[in-house]
Every structure is written in C-alpha cells, then in structure tokens.
Amino acid sequence: MSLEARQDLAEETPHRLQRLMYMSNAVDVPDAAFAAHTAAADRRLRKLLRDDPNALAYFNGWTFADVVNTVDPMRAAEAEYYLCDALIEYGTQVHDTPGQPVLDPSLYGLYEDDQRA
C-alpha cells in the first residue's frame, strides 16, 4: 500500500470501524461509548477465537484495542483496515452478515448522520 493511501486511511481512523459497528454513517460518537463498545466487541472476539479455531485465519491477531488504543496513527489505520476486512469476510462467509457474531446488532443505527445531502 502506498504511503499516500496509508496516510488517507490514518486520517479516517476510526470512522470505517465505527460505520461497521453502528451500521450507519456514524458521527459524533462519544469517546467513552466507543471505548466501551470496542471493549465489549473484543470480549466477543476473544470468545469467538476460542470457540471457532477457523476464525483465527480471518482475524490473524487483529483486535479492536489495536485500533482504539494504538497511539501511532499509521499502525491504528493498519489495524482498522485489517480488522474491518476480517469482520466483513468472516461475518459474510460464516454468518451471512458482516461483523457477526462479534458486533452487537443493538448498536446499529446509533450516532446516525442526520445531515443527508
């Protein structure tokens, strides 16, 4: 991936993950709420990895904490990129829905962007 593409991803972090977690064009997500939601998602991810050894091939060690707690914006962007891809790929291949069973469907639609063009 080019440096320019990586820089673009770093500027967007964590918006891609938020769009996937909230299944909306999430805006103004409070930091504390996002931290709590990602911590809960990491717990579900750890359970999935224990219960389904095949999930390891999809997630390859990437976690939500890698995105949220990484200080280096380029590393956080890389983590977000691979985690989102794993959530989409695993969810659609195994459960027919992106993010399942890791993401919480009760969060879908929270922080929706009400400003539609």
Side-chain angles (χ1 to χ4, degrees):
M1 187 178 301
S2 73
L3 178 60
E4 184 178 335
R6 289 175 40 229
Q7 288 172 330
D8 287 344
L9 286 173
E11 290 175 14
E12 295 283 322
T13 303
H15 191 64
R16 183 177 185 219
L17 181 57
Q18 290 175 344
R19 282 194 321 260
L20 187 56
M21 287 181 67
Y22 303 114
M23 287 293 174
S24 69
N25 190 25
V27 295
D28 299 324
V29 179
D31 290 340
F34 186 57
H37 297 155
T38 55
D42 260 340
R43 287 190 296 275
R44 288 188 296 276
L45 177 58
R46 284 192 301 275
K47 181 180 182 329
L48 171 67
L49 295 174
R50 281 191 309 269
D51 294 348
D52 181 2
N54 294 322
L56 290 171
Y58 290 90
F59 290 93
N60 197 28
W62 296 107
T63 67
F64 291 84
D66 292 333
V67 178
V68 177
N69 299 329
T70 300
V71 177
D72 179 353
M74 296 295 240
R75 277 295 288 156
E78 179 184 28
E80 180 186 50
Y81 178 83
Y82 288 111
L83 177 62
C84 286
D85 281 356
L87 288 165
I88 293 166
E89 187 71 20
Y90 181 84
T92 56
Q93 293 292 321
V94 180
H95 296 278
D96 296 326
T97 306
Q100 291 303 310
V102 178
L103 300 180
D104 180 357
S106 73
L107 301 177
Y108 296 172
L110 285 179
Y111 314 110
E112 178 68 42
D113 181 3
D114 290 330
Q115 301 174 17
R116 292 178 178 71

